[in-house]
């Protein structure tokens, strides 16, 4: 396991700073691989003996992590990842692996220009600056005073950016309180990760853990699983030839956090997607017909809760810091925001990642402004926790990609014969005890949540 090495003090000379590294400091997030023509032949993706990829029947071609229908090789993911086109050439490509993190990184672009690219990339890909690495280097060499000037391949329409331009502050007090809980106990988040995440697992133990989890959910033969040392994020799940495929980063498979990632990806997004396909509102037209509310923030809130559900220290740090950073980005420049969140994040590389996500879409980051999409995690978490005593979680999962607010209305209309419930939700009393523990550990107050969310 790589030991934590804190970033340089603020006053240290630029030239004595150690090389930039990508920290193991944030948790979950699926995205994209980066490769080049020369690297195509060298593929280092391992499949286990129990997953040949051809024996099991194919699940529906429908997107499994979105309420809408998928097309071709696309999987659309709400919040925690993006629509990813995963062609044959890309699967064979060798990318530059980055350490696993919990922040959903902005996807890397393709190298070499030889592989097919989508004509309409997903929002997170489109908002990745073309000159990201150059601007990062300039920013660090300026002792964090330079305001990055980002360039984009296809600037998003103003209407898209306007949708996410307002950062909410409703749960700011809760976000700060969650992070202060971690700092009181562990002094820094970096220490918390080292202490609670555990060691990075070898391949043999990863295979054993993944197979055990798939058996728990009855998914052996349905989900193709691969290991890679070249993935840019902790995990990526896409649909290849109508088959859900989960690739796990070897560097990010930590002893005590691996199962949380599987609960997030398979136990929540995959199973709710499968259940959604059985319902009369499976298509976008069906959703309109039944007047369904958006799946988010319920979808990502539920998945985020499941990531920490069974941890001994189920802190909601990532969701809290994302919420906090976005809120302050609305009134700060990039460099101001970078300095402001130093209260919670010591490592400058980690701070860069959070600030980048909060300011993405901006060309001139000297101006105030935010991209508020990442606030959905904490928003969804707190809404679910506020109403946890009144939610039928088994029914919520059975109904598919729906908001908890629609459960009672849709209950009599649902097709429930072949729906599946993840193993950790089957004992509803114990499940609620885990949610109560999350509330307690993160120093959340039910009376306050009831006041905020009547």
């Amino acid at each position: 396991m790589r030991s934590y090495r804190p970033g340089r003090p603020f006053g240290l000379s630029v030239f004595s700073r150690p090389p930039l590294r990508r920290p193991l400091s944030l948790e979950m997030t699926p995205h994209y691989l980066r490769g080049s023509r020369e690297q195509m032949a060298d593929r280092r993706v391992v499949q286990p003996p129990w997953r040949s990829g051809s024996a099991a029947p194919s699940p529906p071609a429908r997107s499994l992590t979105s309420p809408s229908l998928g097309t071709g090789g696309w999987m659309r993911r709400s919040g925690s990842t993006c629509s990813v086109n995963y062609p044959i050439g890309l699967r064979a490509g060798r990318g530059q692996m980055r350490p696993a993190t919990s922040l959903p990184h902005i996807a890397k672009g393709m190298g070499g220009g030889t592989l097919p690219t989508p004509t309409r990339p997903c929002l997170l890909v489109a908002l990745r600056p073309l000159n990201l690495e150059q601007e990062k280097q300039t920013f660090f060499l300026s002792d964090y005073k330079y305001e990055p000037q980002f360039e984009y391949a296809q600037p998003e329409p103003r209407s898209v950016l306007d949708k996410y331009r307002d950062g909410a502050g409703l749960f700011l007090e809760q976000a700060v309180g969650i992070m202060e809980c971690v700092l009181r106990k562990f002094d820094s988040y970096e220490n918390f990760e080292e202490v609670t995440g555990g060691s990075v697992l070898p391949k043999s133990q990863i295979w054993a853990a993944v197979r055990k989890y798939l058996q728990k959910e009855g998914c052996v033969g349905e989900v193709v699983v691969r290991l890679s040392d070249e993935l840019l994020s902790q995990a990526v799940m896409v649909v290849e030839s109508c088959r859900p495929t989960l690739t796990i980063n070897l560097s990010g498979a930590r002893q005590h956090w691996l199962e949380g990632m599987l609960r997030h990806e398979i136990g929540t997004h995959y199973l709710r997607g499968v259940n959604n396909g059985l319902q009369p509102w499976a298509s976008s037209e069906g959703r309109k017909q039944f007047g369904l509310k958006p799946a988010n923030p319920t979808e990502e809130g539920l998945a985020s809760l499941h990531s920490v559900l069974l941890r001994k220290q189920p802190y909601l740090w990532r969701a809290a810091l994302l919420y906090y950073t976005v809120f302050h980005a609305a009134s700060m420049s990039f460099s101001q925001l970078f300095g402001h969140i130093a209260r919670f994040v010591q490592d400058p590389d980690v701070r860069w990642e959070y600030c980048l996500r909060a300011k993405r879409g901006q060309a001139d980051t000297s101006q105030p402004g935010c991209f508020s999409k990442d606030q959905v995690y904490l928003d969804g978490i707190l809404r679910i926790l506020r109403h946890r005593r009144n939610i039928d979680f088994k029914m919520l999962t059975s109904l598919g990609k729906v908001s908890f607010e629609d459960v009672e209305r849709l209950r009599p209309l649902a097709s429930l014969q072949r729906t599946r419930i993840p193993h950790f939700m089957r004992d509803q009393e114990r499940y609620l005890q885990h949610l109560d523990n999350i509330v307690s550990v993160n120093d959340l107050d039910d009376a306050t949540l009831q006041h905020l969310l009547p």
Side-chain angles (χ1 to χ4, degrees):
M1 180 176 68
R2 183 166 61 183
S3 60
Y4 165 68
R5 299 189 298 276
R8 67 180 177 88
F10 290 115
L12 196 61
S13 167
V14 173
F15 299 101
S16 62
R17 184 182 183 276
L20 301 183
R21 64 184 181 84
R22 193 59 174 278
L24 291 171
S25 61
L26 306 161
E27 177 198 347
M28 108 187 153
T29 47
H31 269 341
Y32 221 73
L33 296 174
R34 177 172 60 188
S36 64
R37 178 183 297 180
E38 304 82 44
Q39 295 170 328
M40 287 293 171
D42 185 9
R43 177 182 177 182
R44 290 187 290 170
V45 176
V46 185
Q47 289 204 39
W50 47 270
R51 176 60 263 153
S52 65
S54 59
S58 297
R62 180 173 292 114
S63 168
L64 298 174
T65 55
S66 169
S68 60
L69 290 173
T71 57
W74 290 88
M75 167 174 275
R76 184 176 300 280
R77 179 62 160 306
S78 55
S80 68
T81 133
C82 58
S83 303
V84 179
N85 193 12
Y86 208 45
I88 297 298
L90 181 53
R91 279 180 289 163
R94 169 181 171 171
Q96 178 180 339
M97 185 270 294
R98 287 193 258 176
T101 68
S102 63
L103 186 64
H105 293 297
I106 295 176
K108 278 291 188 183
M110 298 299 301
T114 61
L115 299 178
T117 57
T119 56
R120 294 181 62 191
C122 77
L123 192 58
L124 300 189
V125 174
L127 293 180
R128 180 188 183 272
L130 294 173
N131 58 342
L132 177 60
E133 298 303 329
Q134 301 96 304
E135 291 300 281
K136 180 179 181 180
Q137 188 72 11
T138 303
F139 178 76
F140 276 82
L141 290 175
S142 74
D143 199 24
Y144 318 131
K145 294 180 174 63
Y146 171 71
E147 304 291 359
Q149 304 294 301
F150 291 132
E151 300 171 1
Y152 301 92
Q154 297 178 339
E156 287 298 311
R158 190 74 251 168
S159 60
V160 175
L161 297 178
D162 285 348
K163 180 180 177 180
Y164 298 107
R165 70 178 181 180
D166 296 322
L170 181 62
F171 304 121
L172 190 64
E173 181 180 343
Q174 286 68 39
V176 172
I178 289 167
M179 293 186 288
E180 287 180 342
C181 283
V182 173
L183 297 182
R184 282 196 300 268
K185 188 172 181 64
F186 296 95
D187 294 328
S188 71
Y189 176 75
E190 291 81 2
N191 290 340
F192 162 70
E193 183 182 55
E194 287 294 315
V195 170
T196 66
S199 61
V200 176
L201 297 173
K203 292 179 182 179
S204 60
Q205 292 185 31
I206 297 173
W207 286 131
V210 171
R211 184 177 187 183
K212 182 178 179 181
Y213 187 84
L214 291 174
Q215 288 172 335
K216 288 180 182 179
E217 306 296 11
C219 295
V220 174
E222 293 180 19
V223 179
V224 178
V225 180
R226 297 189 178 122
L227 302 184
S228 174
D229 58 1
E230 298 156 350
L231 197 61
L232 304 186
S233 54
Q234 183 177 6
V236 59
M237 193 169 190
V238 298
V239 172
E240 293 183 23
S241 302
C242 302
R243 299 297 302 277
T245 301
L246 175 64
T247 304
I248 300 173
N249 189 338
L250 287 166
S251 296
R254 306 192 75 164
Q255 180 182 2
H256 303 307
W257 289 2
L258 175 60
E259 186 163 340
M261 182 272 289
L262 297 173
R263 288 194 301 271
H264 182 109
E265 298 294 342
I266 297 174
T268 310
H269 290 312
Y270 173 72
L271 289 184
R272 273 169 58 90
V274 169
N275 291 342
N276 193 78
L278 302 173
Q279 307 306 328
W281 48 82
S283 67
S284 57
E285 293 78 12
R287 295 185 70 85
K288 293 178 183 177
Q289 177 186 344
F290 288 93
L292 268 62
K293 294 179 180 295
N296 267 329
T298 295
E299 178 74 15
E300 289 302 340
L302 198 62
S304 298
L305 284 169
H306 293 166
S307 293
V308 304
L309 189 72
L310 304 182
R311 290 185 189 174
K312 293 182 178 179
Q313 305 282 352
Y315 287 103
L316 299 165
W317 171 277
R318 186 187 75 89
L321 186 52
L322 284 171
Y323 191 96
Y324 180 88
T325 305
V326 165
F327 174 82
H328 287 286
S331 60
M332 295 181 178
S333 71
F334 194 103
S335 65
Q336 289 171 335
L337 183 65
F338 187 88
H340 183 77
I341 66 172
R343 170 186 176 189
F344 298 111
V345 183
Q346 297 176 1
D347 193 300
D349 291 282
V350 182
R351 275 187 282 155
W352 166 269
E353 292 293 338
Y354 276 105
C355 293
L356 176 63
R357 290 196 67 84
K359 302 291 283 186
R360 60 191 171 184
Q362 280 188 278
D364 179 5
T365 66
S366 68
Q367 301 301 312
C370 71
F371 186 76
S372 64
K373 190 174 178 65
D374 284 335
Q375 289 191 322
V376 70
Y377 300 104
L378 187 63
D379 187 288
I381 286 169
L382 296 183
R383 291 180 189 277
I384 290 172
L385 292 177
R386 155 64 178 93
H387 295 283
R388 68 190 184 279
R389 298 295 176 192
N390 302 316
I391 297 174
D392 184 338
F393 286 97
K394 289 184 180 180
M395 184 59 63
L396 175 60
T397 297
S398 296
L399 295 176
K401 300 289 186 172
V402 304
S403 168
F404 73 85
E405 297 171 282
D406 281 336
V407 167
E408 295 308 316
R409 182 171 64 86
L410 297 176
R411 183 191 297 268
L413 307 173
S415 175
L416 303 176
Q417 290 182 346
R418 293 184 294 147
T419 56
R420 303 192 219 172
I421 306 298
H423 75 280
F424 52 85
M425 287 181 112
R426 290 170 191 162
D427 185 338
Q428 187 120 330
E429 182 178 352
R430 187 175 181 185
Y431 180 81
L432 286 173
Q433 290 173 355
H434 288 304
L435 295 185
D436 288 340
N437 185 47
I438 292 174
V439 170
S440 175
V441 167
N442 288 276
D443 202 21
L444 297 171
D445 179 67
D446 278 316
T448 301
L449 291 181
Q450 291 169 14
H451 175 74
L452 293 174
L453 300 167

